[in-house]
């Protein structure tokens, strides 16, 4: 009985720690290692109309299927005042597939048009309660969380997407409308926290 109870309590703790809708943006001044060779913070990328934080990585199949949509979102909404950043919190793999050097190559290969940075010791992911790659967090102009979860309802078949959660949330934010779906389940690979 004890062997079953412990994992259940652990899973409850993880889900309870996720950032709630309406919460302020945590860790805004954490220094992140950017692929440009400099450090950046969420405060640096914060947009005057809102900010999109994407917990991502280099190799997760879900990320690979969805990341062209990251680029489309940044291309469309950055000029409209939405700050965008992808954060790699896979600290357990920073000496391998998610090294800064490999992140630079990955971003170049996939035409990233937004900052891509490492999260030392996964501390930003821990503050957000992020557990997946990708895991999406959209904040309004005041830094309050208005949407979290998945980009849309079909990572693998873009032409069959029926629910464009993130696009809808950003569009509602831009027109001061109510965001009808503010929370969805993040789907992807688990973040590799340091041991």
């Amino acid at each position: 009985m004890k062997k079953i109870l412990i994992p259940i309590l652990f899973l409850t703790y993880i889900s309870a720690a996720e950032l709630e809708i309406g919460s302020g943006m945590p860790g805004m001044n954490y220094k992140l290692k950017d692929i440009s060779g400099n450090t950046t913070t969420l405060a640096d990328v914060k947009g005057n109309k809102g900010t999109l934080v994407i917990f991502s990585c280099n190799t997760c199949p879900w990320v690979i299927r969805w990341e062209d949509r990251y680029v489309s979102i940044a291309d469309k909404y950055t000029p409209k005042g939405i700050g965008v950043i992808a954060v790699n919190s896979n600290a357990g793999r920073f000496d391998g597939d998610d090294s800064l050097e490999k992140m630079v190559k990955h971003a170049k290969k996939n035409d990233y048009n937004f900052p891509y940075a490492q999260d030392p010791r996964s501390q930003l992911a821990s503050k957000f309660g992020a557990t997946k790659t990708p895991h999406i967090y959209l904040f309004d102009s005041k830094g309050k969380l208005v949407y979290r979860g998945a980009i849309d309802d079909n990572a693998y078949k873009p032409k069959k997407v029926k629910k464009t959660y993130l696009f809808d949330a950003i569009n509602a934010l831009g027109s001061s409308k109510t965001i009808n779906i503010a929370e969805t389940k993040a789907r992807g690979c688990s973040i590799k926290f340091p041991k």
Side-chain angles (χ1 to χ4, degrees):
M1 183 68 173
K2 288 181 181 176
K3 288 182 180 178
I4 295 172
L5 186 59
I6 291 169
I8 290 171
L9 290 173
F10 181 69
L11 288 174
T12 303
Y13 170 76
I14 288 175
S15 63
E18 188 170 7
L19 200 62
E20 295 291 333
I21 297 298
S23 298
M25 189 185 304
M28 284 187 64
N29 295 310
Y30 283 0
K31 294 190 183 307
L32 308 172
K33 296 179 182 178
D34 190 272
I35 59 170
S36 67
N38 299 315
T39 58
T40 192
T41 66
L42 296 184
D44 293 333
V45 300
K46 187 174 181 288
N48 62 351
K49 298 291 185 182
T51 308
L52 174 61
V53 180
I54 305 167
F55 287 90
S56 192
C57 67
N58 292 340
T59 59
C60 173
W62 293 82
V63 167
I64 290 165
R65 294 290 184 157
W66 256 319
E67 68 190 336
D68 61 330
R69 280 164 264 183
Y70 301 179
V71 173
S72 297
I73 288 164
D75 188 52
K76 182 173 183 178
Y77 295 106
T78 299
K80 296 180 180 181
I82 301 292
V84 178
I85 185 171
V87 178
N88 188 334
S89 295
N90 277 350
R93 291 190 175 169
F94 284 173
D95 60 351
D97 290 337
D98 287 306
S99 69
L100 202 58
E101 182 182 352
K102 289 187 178 179
M103 285 172 60
V104 170
K105 291 177 182 176
H106 185 83
K108 185 174 182 180
K109 177 183 175 184
N110 293 284
D111 300 319
Y112 279 15
N113 51 358
F114 46 82
Y116 186 29
Q118 278 188 340
D119 171 18
R121 299 180 305 283
S122 308
Q123 58 185 353
L124 194 63
S126 295
K127 281 283 187 187
F128 274 68
T131 58
K132 302 288 185 188
T133 57
H135 206 147
I136 306 299
Y137 294 85
L138 177 66
F139 297 86
D140 66 14
S141 61
K142 296 176 182 175
K144 299 296 182 186
L145 183 66
V146 294
Y147 174 78
R148 71 170 195 214
I151 293 174
D152 55 45
D153 67 349
N154 201 325
Y156 285 85
K157 296 181 181 177
K159 292 182 180 178
K160 293 195 174 182
V161 169
K162 293 180 181 176
K163 296 179 181 177
T164 54
Y165 307 122
L166 180 57
F167 280 100
D168 294 347
I170 297 174
N171 286 330
L173 187 64
S175 59
S176 300
K177 292 182 179 176
T178 301
I179 295 172
N180 293 325
I181 300 176
E183 299 175 63
T184 59
K185 183 177 180 179
R187 298 189 178 276
C189 305
S190 62
I191 290 176
K192 308 305 184 282
F193 290 90
K195 294 179 181 178

